[in-house]
Amino acid sequence: MVLFPELPFARVANLLSFLFLLMSFLLLIRNSLSAQVRMFAVQSGVLSALAAVVAYFGGSRELFGVAVLFAFIKVIVIPNVLTRAVSKIGIQRAVAPYLGTSVTLAICAGLVVVAFYVMAPVMASNRLPTSDGIPLAFAGVLIGFFTTVNRRRALTQILGFLMLENGIFMVALLATYGVPLIVELGVFLDVLVAVLILEVFVYRIKHNFDSTDVGQMGALRG
Amino acid sequence: MMLVLLLLIPALASAFISLSRRRRVMEWTHALASIAALIVGGVLAVRLGAGEPVALWDLLRVDALSAFMVAIVAFVGAIAGIYAIGYMRLEFDDRQIRRVRLFYALFQLFVFTMLLAVTTDNLGVMWAAIEGTTLATVFLVNIHDSHTGLEAAYKYLIMSSVGIALAFLGTVLMYYAASAQVGEIGLSWTSLIGIAPGLDPDIVKLAFVFILIGYGTKAGLAPMHTWLPDAHSEAPAPISALMSGVLLNVGLYALMRFKAVTDVTAGPAFSSTWLMRFGLLSLGLAAAFLVSQRNYKRMLAYSSVEHTGIIALGLGFGGYWGMLGALLHMVNHALSKSMLFLLSGSILLKYRTTDIRGVRGLLQAAPWTGFWFLCGVLALIGLPPFGPFVSEFIIFRAGFEAHSVAYAVTGIALLALVFAGMLGSVNRMLYGQASEQVKPGDPFRWPMMPMALNLILLVGFGLLLPDGVQEFFGHVLKVVGVLV
Amino acid sequence: MSSAALVGLLSASLILLAGGAGSALAFARQFDLCRRMAHGLAVCGTVLVLILGFAGLIGNSFELSLPQILPLAGGLALGLDRLSAFFLFLIGVGVIPSTLFAIGYTRHYKQEQASMGCALNIFVASMVLVVLSRHVLTFLVFWETMSLASYFLVMTEKESDETRSAGWLYMVMTHAGLACLLIGFLAMLQATGSSMMHEWAGAEGVDPGVRSVIFLVMAAGFLSKAGAIPFHIWLPRAHPAAPSHVSAMMSGVMIKLGVYGLIRIGFEWLSPGPAWWGILILIVGAVSAVLGVLYALIDADLKRLLAYSSVESIGVILLGVGAGLVFRSYDLGSLAALALMAALYHSLNHAVFKSLLFLGAGSVLHATGTRNIEEMGGLLKRMPQTGAFFLIGSLAISAMPPFNGFISEWLTFQSLLLSFRIPEQIFNLVFALSIAALALTAGLAAACFVRAFGITFLALPRAQRAGRAHEADPAMRIAMGLFALACLAFGVAPVLVLRVLSGAVTGFLGSGPDLSFNWTSVSAAGEFAGIAPLWVALILALLMLAAWRGLRLFGANFNRRYYETWGCGRARQSADFEYTAAAFAHPFKRVFAVLYRPVQETEIEAHPESRYFVKTITYRNESRSIIEDSIYVPIGRTVRRLAARARRVQSGNVHGYLLYILAALLTLLLFAK
Amino acid sequence: MLAQIVITIVQWLVVVMGAPLLVGVIRKTKARLQGRQGAGVLQPYWDLRKLLIKEVVIAENTSWVFRLTPYVAIGTMLLSAFIVPVLTTAAGLPFMGNIILLMYVFLLSTFFLALAGLDAGSSFGGMGSSREMAIAALAEPTVMIAIFAIALRAGTTGLNEMISRAVSDPLLLLNPGHLLAFCSFFIVALAETGRLPVDNPSTDLELTMIHEAMILEYSGRYLALIKWAASIKLFLFLTLLGNIFFPWGVAVTLEPGAVATGVIALVIKLGVLALGLALLETAVAKLRLFRVPELLSGSFMLALLAVISFFFLR
């Protein structure tokens, strides 16, 4: 098993990690739903490529299978489920997020700095070549979390949640070349079911509240 | 072998129910499955009393702590299951057979996921199982498909999923810390605890932060608890009984597993201070809501947040008394809270309103329900003959021994405040003249009989604890790393 | 008696009480059978408790521990020593006649019989076990069971909202007291390392700062149960709501357990405390005494009036306890013993005459159906024996010489007067003021009970209800008779109690009281003060007889003529001419206006035709309670305001909720290193 | 032993028989001071005799309390006559009680008088009892603090020891505490016995009476007993004032010579006090009822100063 290949592997991994973070920034900016779903598909694509690269250099066939499964679910299945949902919901008046774009970007930058500060001990003790990408992955997690907080539409919240999942998968990938298979399968199953259920809820919310703006669901208080 | 049987019963039952059409078949399978699970769980717990854990394909492993949790899940599952039959007969008539099928199937699936979560040794599978409990209960919360039900279910799902994702990140970091130190290693708890002294303290502390936030959401600790009142008050009574009584404990179980590891690596100070802070925050917030509450199901939900806060305080105080108090309080809380939520179901059936002011003269209108509701609440607010009084005494004793007197004193003061709030609300419901249109008599009698068991156990845990049970707790404490 | 016999006696009494509780639940349907069984067994159980108390008082003691109950905290530990024995004796004296009274009094209750009978038995059993418990958790468990049982007894008439709010306030105040006790006990447990209470004696290892905090916290807990002033607000609400025999037991016996606890902390567990502890208790006692009687004076509800006077008597007891504590801190052992004996004697006397008054009030309530003394009057002619017993009770509580109240108040006065042996000048001044407070209380108590007895029993009935009153049943009268006899016996021959009491106090404190007594006379501190109660009573009776015979001898005119009362010769004398309770209290209301802060309202309703003809004049002179307005109402308001602000957290907006989790995560990540 | 019994009886008779005479003397002096002739000094005896032979008229709605009260009133006063050392400290029944018992015995008689006032059911009786109890209650603290002041000095609260210890101490008058205690005790005596500044004994206007209002309904032999008791009370208070604060002349032993000087000393002291009382009553008008508490709190301050002087000027 090739553990320390020549230099380009590390740089390729860093490039792909940077691309992943760029995609999440872009997803934040786009307002139209279908554009956001496309951004998510691209981001998942980048991530599955990174997994393949790590599998190749790390030399574990098992990880390669995971990369393929990841690509299948996150690039093909979930995006067309979401696009079906978007078309079903139909046109809606644009619901502005809580914070304007510039403020959101400023906060995301802050979150990236936080990510670097938090992941410092992991970076220090990690001997794997892919360790520099870990803060970027964790930044992806925080940005995904922030999207669920900031965005008002249900679908965008689901995308935020999925970005969060991607970030975590990436951290696992870069830190330990992926977690054992059984766990990976369990995670994929849960994420898939979660998205399906969320999609069902989006239809019901649309039906009951005739808009997917989750913010105005405030009946239960005190 | 018993272990596989334990997991198979609910899984098969759930599958079988989802296929059957007639209500009677569903009810019988559901009842038999619940009782079978109770028997198997009981046998497993008794056998595990002897101390040596039972393992299976390095995926499932039941040591004393998991046996303790299995016993709670099985017992409360059985009590709620039997009650659910009576409840569903009055709640949904035959036209909504689809909902009834959904209810029974997801009930069994819910029990399965909880059992899986507490019996697995692999931390990743445990995470998946706990995420599974959320997915199983989401449709149950929204079973009435009302506006508020939908809102509660959506919030519950999105917050739990986001919260637990962080817990997975914590598990990943813990795995990273292990693999960085030892190289190739399975994500199993036993191996992790084995090499815990050698792990890098900073990473383990960072991982524990995510675990605390992630599983804290599931356990209902303070800042992450906001989904709990909505979900538990909208869900049907048997489900909120299971969720409040047991699901919160499963979240705490996961926290205890990781706390055992973190304490060995980075010393108990780190996890204790934050558990105490979150516990006190939960207690404080719950007290604010319980001082004057208008909806009795939300009152019970907030009291769950309060008791989770007490258990977190117990874990935070640590030491022999702190851990023992927390475990005891888990059992006491599970018994009393599940009984109360089931009774709130009967009250809802009788008075058709969850508003406290709408319910008057309960002791007059439904003497049995009223009397048991009174005993349950007295147990919940910590009065002597019942268990919670003793476990709270032990927890606060640990507080003084751990020299965190400020936390203990504030905790006791907040508990007194909660006592005042809840007693006031319950008095408004129990006494006074029942209005005419409420027909006297309890909604149904036989499904409530098993709840007598809850009451007897509560008084039992309050006054006397046979040696066998004490020795069992000794083993559990050994697992958690307190008694060495 | 060997300790095995004592344990046998205790278990027999507990079995009887448990039998009483069980039979109350078993025969819930047959009301009369349930009533007789429950109360009968309760009386038998309490008789055994009385015997056990007496045995303990004359010197026997026992230790008992049952590890299988409450095993996690070291098992159930009971023990009998001199002080516990005295309080057992007090429980016996207080409970037996009240339960006998209950047999007659509770005939008109129907469904409540079961809950009342069961709660009564558990209440008595838990009081007995509180006094005997030697282990921290045992004490707390039975302390709270006692409160819970008395809560259910107070809630017997649960229809009215007033009872419900009274019960709620009572339970909340008791639980707050329990919280203080819990903190105190745990701190002591932690400081001394052992959970057995009698091993705490002296608690040397604890540094003074912690000891003072522990003392203050536990004193607050015990004072809230005793009903001393800052914590008394539950007492005037809970007692009128409870059935009379229950308020008799609560006032006579239960609040004394608060004093029991205070004596345990002050004299045993944290014993060589600084002097300011005693002074603090002294001041609380003085304030409780004066304010208690002042509120009793202006109250028109008979049972609430008696409840406030319980606050006053607790004040007098606390004066004794406080003085004892101060003497002990200046190690004047004999004076401390004298002060403690005065306090204990007054507790016993209070149990007797307060129960007598509550039973009297109960039979008056039973006969007239109202508690408001403004609607009563002339009951002495319709209820002669109850009236006579109530008069004896009023005389005893106002500390009039031939009765028991006088002896204990006289002893308290002596212990306060002997304070000049304390070197510290400031404390001498405080003692002087407490003497003035006690004297003022004595005077006001006399005025209060002249009003209570006069307005209720004398002259003409002010309302038809009072007119139709009928004498109480025989069982009720026997119970009151027993108490009245005890009042006279303890008053005329105090040596019965003093010999037993001084033995107990010497055993408990280790130093004998500075008191010498024999069958006829009692003298404190040698030449300092002495009385001969037996002689006083005999000679007074003799002289009254002599006066009566003397008039006969002198040939005075002995025929008498009945005519209507003098009304300036104008109108026919009727009930409206009589002085009402509010009018009687008016001078006090004017003198102590700064305390009552009365709100005067007069509405004059003129006749429709002309302004000069008045149809009705309504005059209201409400007084407000300082303590409630200045302490409890603000606390309640702030708590509700803070809670309302904290409730905004659950705003209903899911994004807010997610933000809370993100914020928690970031704080933890950034600060948890 | 026989001598002690005889002296005790003599002393008791002096008090019981002498009381109306004292009242007569005070009335006579007051009359002369007001330029009136006034009734004879023995007039009170004739009044008592007249009342005793008259028929008793009782209000219909009264109970047995009304008929018991006169006997309680006279009984308590006769009892206290035994306790107070009038002529000698060696005789009397000193072991029966100290000064606190005395105060409570007086309170007992007031207690029953107030009840009798209420029993008649007339508004005057009620008003009298309410005011009497108010004044008695407010006077109690002053009495106790005055006793505390004396007890501090004498080291005992027993009346006989108090006087026997003070007889041999000539410097007593110079002690400030002693004089303050005397003033406060004097004011309390006025309040307790219902003399002028607090209550007008010789009024017949119902609304202004306090003590008289309570016994408005009494007549015949009951009224005689009560009036007699009131006079004994006045006599005892003045003897207390005389003997405790100016103890000289009180016989300490039993032999006749000392007892004779005791009688003379008693006559002188009571004469001076009676004159002072009469002078005060002619000079001062009756205080409004709600000014009386200020008077009593003034006397309370005097007594407190007496106590403080003992502690702080030791």
Side-chain angles (χ1 to χ4, degrees), chain C residues 381 527-528 532 561 563 573 587, chain D residues 56 58 61 96 121 156-157:
Chain C
K381 293 190 223 1
E527 279 299 304
F528 187 77
R561 192 157 52 85
Y563 194 70
Q573 170 68 21
Chain D
V56 169
I58 299 175
N61 44 33
M96 269 225 285
T156 166
T157 53

Side-chain angles (χ1 to χ4, degrees), chain C residues 2 28 101 213 219 425 473 512-513 548 561 575 610 614 618 633 650 654:
Chain C
S2 71
F101 178 86
V213 169
Q425 267 117 354
D473 324 338
W548 188 69
R561 192 157 52 85
S610 110
V614 166
T618 50
V633 167
Q650 193 77 13
V654 70

Side-chain angles (χ1 to χ4, degrees), chain C residues 178-365:
Chain C
L178 179 90
C180 298
L181 289 187
L182 186 62
I183 295 169
F185 275 127
L186 290 179
M188 278 297 280
L189 190 76
Q190 166 63 16
T192 56
S194 107
S195 65
M196 297 302 282
M197 285 196 276
H198 58 270
E199 283 159 14
W200 288 351
E204 293 76 17
V206 187
D207 68 277
V210 171
R211 279 153 66 100
S212 297
V213 169
I214 292 176
F215 177 81
L216 289 177
V217 166
M218 287 175 85
F222 285 125
L223 286 176
S224 73
K225 174 58 83 177
I229 266 304
F231 313 105
H232 71 293
I233 56 169
W234 59 274
L235 212 133
R237 288 191 176 79
H239 284 195
S244 303
H245 65 285
V246 172
S247 3
M249 275 191 256
M250 281 171 73
S251 243
V253 182
M254 189 184 78
I255 56 178
K256 304 297 168 21
L257 298 188
V259 174
Y260 163 77
L262 205 60
I263 293 173
R264 280 280 183 214
I265 336 168
F267 289 93
E268 189 188 350
W269 299 336
L270 303 165
S271 70
W276 64 267
W277 287 2
I279 293 296
L280 176 73
I281 298 292
L282 201 72
I283 291 167
V284 166
V287 168
S288 304
V290 173
L291 285 185
V293 77
L294 279 174
Y295 283 122
L297 245 178
I298 56 165
D299 213 303
D301 176 327
L302 190 55
K303 285 175 80 175
R304 203 167 43 227
L305 181 145
L306 293 175
Y308 272 124
S309 97
S310 295
V311 173
E312 174 247 326
S313 302
I314 281 292
V316 172
I317 296 170
L318 290 179
L319 280 178
V321 172
L325 282 174
V326 173
F327 288 138
R328 190 161 174 99
S329 63
Y330 285 96
D331 53 55
L332 298 158
S334 61
L335 289 185
L338 176 65
L340 186 59
M341 259 184 71
L344 291 180
Y345 200 166
H346 196 69
S347 322
L348 182 64
N349 291 339
H350 179 254
V352 172
F353 52 67
K354 183 46 57 67
S355 305
L356 171 58
L357 289 171
F358 261 115
L359 298 190
S363 34
V364 161
L365 171 68

Side-chain angles (χ1 to χ4, degrees), chain A residues 162-173:
Chain A
L162 288 169
M163 262 168 60
L164 186 92
E165 286 293 327
N166 284 0
I168 295 173
F169 175 75
M170 190 173 157
V171 165
L173 198 63

Side-chain angles (χ1 to χ4, degrees), chain B residues 155 158-159 205-206 209-210 212-213 223-224 226 229-230 270 274 278 288-289 292 298 302 321 324 328 374 378 382-384 389 393-394 396-397 400-401 403 409 412 417 419-420 423-424 427-428 431-433 462-465 470, chain C residues 68-73 136-137 140-141 144-145 148 151-152 155 158-159 161 164 168 171-172 175-176 178-179 182-183 186-187 189-190 195 639-640 643 646-647 649-650 652-654 657-658 660-661 664-665 668-669 671-673:
Chain B
K155 284 181 187 170
I158 196 76
M159 284 184 66
K205 275 203 257 185
L206 182 62
V209 161
F210 287 107
L212 185 57
I213 298 289
M224 302 81 80
T226 38
D230 302 345
F270 175 74
W274 283 103
F278 276 110
F289 285 97
S292 61
R298 289 182 81 87
Y302 279 117
W321 289 115
L324 179 65
L328 252 177
L374 178 63
L378 290 183
L383 282 173
F389 178 79
F393 173 81
I394 292 172
F396 287 121
R397 171 185 177 155
F400 275 82
E401 255 157 35
H403 297 298
V409 168
I412 292 175
L417 197 61
F419 177 92
L423 190 69
N427 273 356
R428 255 188 293 281
Y431 299 113
Q433 293 300 338
L463 294 182
L464 31 92
L465 214 59
Q470 273 188 17
Chain C
Q68 53 271 52
I69 302 177
L70 295 171
L72 286 179
V136 170
L137 188 60
L140 285 176
V141 164
E144 194 63 3
T145 321
L148 194 60
Y151 165 72
F152 283 120
M155 293 294 276
K158 37 184 175 283
E159 288 74 27
D161 284 351
R164 190 159 51 78
W168 177 74
M171 203 57 201
V172 166
H175 197 78
L178 179 90
L182 186 62
I183 295 169
L186 290 179
L189 190 76
Q190 166 63 16
S195 65
V639 163
R640 246 178 247 81
R647 270 200 287 280
V649 157
Q650 193 77 13
N653 178 332
V654 70
Y657 297 164
L658 288 168
Y660 297 149
I661 303 182
L665 178 67
L668 229 63
L669 289 177
F671 300 112
K673 272 291 169 292

Side-chain angles (χ1 to χ4, degrees), chain B residues 113-154:
Chain B
T113 46
M114 277 200 289
L115 286 176
L116 178 63
V118 288
T119 48
T120 177
D121 183 34
N122 184 315
L123 296 175
V125 171
M126 179 172 80
W127 178 86
I130 291 181
E131 170 74 1
T133 57
T134 317
L135 305 178
T137 48
V138 136
F139 283 108
L140 288 170
V141 169
N142 186 20
I143 201 156
H144 293 295
D145 205 2
S146 61
H147 272 268
T148 49
L150 180 63
E151 177 185 336
Y154 179 77

